[in-house]
């Protein structure tokens, strides 16, 4: 499934550093989503509260024209972990079932990943 990502400053697109580019978003294919922190209410004083959206990250393969900085963690399959901005992907992000922190894209839908496997 294609999602929009904002590349961190150390990444290069077509050999140019991201902090030197005007456009920093790119659409990549996400293969696995990870729930980093769940949605919660954050209290700011006695009566004010603020909603904190869930933080989601995705494992993606980078195309040849995007290079990660040295020292970036790459898993055994060659994927890297990028934060998923909710502002760009609000309608396309799935709901995580209770007790599930990882979803994988398989057969055209998001499926929970078994933690014991």
């Amino acid at each position: 499934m294609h999602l929009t990502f904002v590349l961190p400053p150390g990444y290069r697109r077509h050999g140019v550093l991201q902090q030197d580019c005007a456009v920093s978003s790119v659409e990549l294919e996400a293969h696995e989503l990870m729930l980093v922190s769940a949605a919660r209410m954050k209290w700011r004083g006695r009566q004010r509260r603020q909603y904190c959206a869930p933080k989601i990250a995705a494992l993606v393969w980078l195309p040849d024209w995007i290079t990660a900085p040295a020292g970036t963690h790459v898993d055994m399959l060659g994927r890297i972990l990028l934060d998923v901005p909710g502002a760009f992907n609000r309608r396309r992000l799935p709901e995580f079932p209770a007790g599930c922190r990882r979803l994988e894209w398989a057969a055209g839908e998001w499926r929970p990943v078994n933690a014991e496997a």
Side-chain angles (χ1 to χ4, degrees):
M1 173 181 211
H2 287 281
L3 295 174
T4 303
F5 296 92
V6 176
L7 293 177
Y11 284 71
R12 293 182 176 268
R13 184 193 332 223
H14 298 290
V16 178
L17 278 172
Q18 274 309 115
Q19 57 245 30
D20 299 337
C21 295
V23 178
S24 62
S25 64
V26 65
E27 191 166 304
L28 298 172
E29 176 122 11
H31 300 280
E32 190 172 323
L33 294 179
M34 300 172 75
L35 183 64
V36 178
S37 66
R40 66 190 193 319
M41 295 302 286
K42 183 174 157 185
W43 292 93
R44 300 186 63 118
R46 186 175 270 222
Q47 296 178 350
R48 286 188 343 173
R49 59 185 169 173
Q50 179 180 359
Y51 175 75
C52 293
K55 184 174 180 181
I56 299 174
L59 287 168
V60 298
W61 279 292
L62 292 179
D64 294 338
W65 49 275
I66 297 176
T67 55
T72 302
H73 178 70
V74 180
D75 73 352
M76 294 186 316
L77 299 175
R79 303 176 299 183
I80 63 161
L81 192 64
L82 288 177
D83 289 335
V84 178
F88 293 128
N89 302 296
R90 191 167 307 273
R91 291 190 193 111
R92 293 185 274 181
L93 293 178
E95 292 290 327
F96 282 81
C100 178
R101 300 194 66 78
R102 292 175 54 199
L103 299 174
E104 68 177 346
W105 183 253
E109 65 181 3
W110 290 105
R111 294 184 179 165
V113 175
N114 188 0
E116 289 82 32

